[in-house]
């Protein structure tokens, strides 16, 4: 059996309604449901059960204190061929450090290294055929968006299951406290 895994920080339920109010006015957007709101730390991909157990053990050894996060601004991936709309995360040394620790855990488990730069974000929607001018208007409308900071007290290992025509289903496999 294999699992498709990623580590992420959940976005608090108290912010979901505020974020969901932004999810309109963009043709071709497949808006993410509230239960999928998270900030990915490291996507691990498809792993077998043994690798998943090893990864869980490595992630459980990550030690660092809780830290504050906030979402702000919006943007999209795929400059001229937009594929995802996102909310950014206020720059944070602690967030970058947690990403690096997750990367080291993956490498100790012999998983492929991540070759893309870490760009912390929360995906709002996946896009298909969305005109650039509509994304520009969305970015202008949400340019001043910012949440109140919240305290990240843990991160989570999620499994991801694809669902035809629907959003992926994410299941929390393990939580790791930040102490």
């Amino acid at each position: 059996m294999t699992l498709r895994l990623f580590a992420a920080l959940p976005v608090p339920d108290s912010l979901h309604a505020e974020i969901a109010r932004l999810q309109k006015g963009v043709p071709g957007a497949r808006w993410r449901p509230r239960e999928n709101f998270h900030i990915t730390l490291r996507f691990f991909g498809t792993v077998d059960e043994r690798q998943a157990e090893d990864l869980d053990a490595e992630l459980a050894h990550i030690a660092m204190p809780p830290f504050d996060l906030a979402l702000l601004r919006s943007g999209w991936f795929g400059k001229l061929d937009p594929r995802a709309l996102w909310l950014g995360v206020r720059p944070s040394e602690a967030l970058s450090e947690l990403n690096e620790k997750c990367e080291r855990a993956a490498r100790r488990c012999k998983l492929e290294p991540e070759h893309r730069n870490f760009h912390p974000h929360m995906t709002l929607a996946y896009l298909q055929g969305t005109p650039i001018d509509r994304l520009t208007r969305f970015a202008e409308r949400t340019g001043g968006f910012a949440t109140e900071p919240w305290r990240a007290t843990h991160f989570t290992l999620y499994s991801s299951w694809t669902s035809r025509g629907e959003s992926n289903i994410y299941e929390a496999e393990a939580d790791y406290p930040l102490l």
Side-chain angles (χ1 to χ4, degrees), residues 103-153:
E103 178 63 30
R104 285 195 294 274
R107 288 181 186 205
R108 283 192 295 273
C109 294
K110 310 275 191 277
L111 298 178
E112 285 293 315
E114 177 59 68
H115 297 289
R116 294 173 292 185
N117 290 331
F118 182 53
H119 179 81
H121 67 280
M122 190 205 91
T123 301
L124 273 175
Y126 291 110
L127 305 170
Q128 187 168 4
T130 303
I132 301 288
D133 66 318
R134 295 301 292 269
L135 289 171
T136 302
R137 278 190 255 159
F138 181 86
E140 289 169 355
R141 177 170 61 89
T142 59
F145 177 80
T147 64
E148 289 296 319
W150 75 89
R151 177 69 79 174
T153 59

Side-chain angles (χ1 to χ4, degrees), residues 80-106:
L80 298 177
D81 185 19
R83 62 184 185 281
L85 185 62
W86 50 260
L87 290 176
V89 180
R90 183 181 67 199
S92 162
E93 279 187 40
L95 179 59
S96 295
E97 180 182 347
L98 184 54
N99 162 259
E100 290 167 10
K101 288 181 179 209
C102 288
E103 178 63 30
R104 285 195 294 274

Side-chain angles (χ1 to χ4, degrees), residues 33-179:
R34 295 175 185 202
E35 61 270 16
N36 288 8
F37 290 175
H38 66 271
I39 300 162
T40 301
L41 294 164
R42 171 60 155 85
F43 180 72
F44 302 111
T46 302
V47 301
D48 63 34
E49 284 185 68
R50 168 104 183 179
Q51 287 175 307
E53 290 171 4
D54 292 347
L55 182 60
D56 174 53
E58 289 294 335
L59 294 174
H61 284 95
I62 291 177
M64 56 184 295
F67 57 92
D68 290 336
L69 289 171
L71 297 172
L72 69 155
R73 299 182 326 277
S74 66
W76 66 89
F77 293 121
K79 291 181 184 182
L80 298 177
D81 185 19
R83 62 184 185 281
L85 185 62
W86 50 260
L87 290 176
V89 180
R90 183 181 67 199
S92 162
E93 279 187 40
L95 179 59
S96 295
E97 180 182 347
L98 184 54
N99 162 259
E100 290 167 10
K101 288 181 179 209
C102 288
E103 178 63 30
R104 285 195 294 274
R107 288 181 186 205
R108 283 192 295 273
C109 294
K110 310 275 191 277
L111 298 178
E112 285 293 315
E114 177 59 68
H115 297 289
R116 294 173 292 185
N117 290 331
F118 182 53
H119 179 81
H121 67 280
M122 190 205 91
T123 301
L124 273 175
Y126 291 110
L127 305 170
Q128 187 168 4
T130 303
I132 301 288
D133 66 318
R134 295 301 292 269
L135 289 171
T136 302
R137 278 190 255 159
F138 181 86
E140 289 169 355
R141 177 170 61 89
T142 59
F145 177 80
T147 64
E148 289 296 319
W150 75 89
R151 177 69 79 174
T153 59
H154 71 282
F155 68 102
T156 302
L157 179 65
Y158 290 96
S159 57
S160 174
W161 308 90
T162 54
S163 175
R164 287 191 190 172
E166 301 292 325
S167 296
N168 286 355
I169 298 166
Y170 300 146
E171 184 176 334
E173 298 291 337
D175 286 326
Y176 309 100
L178 300 173
L179 304 170

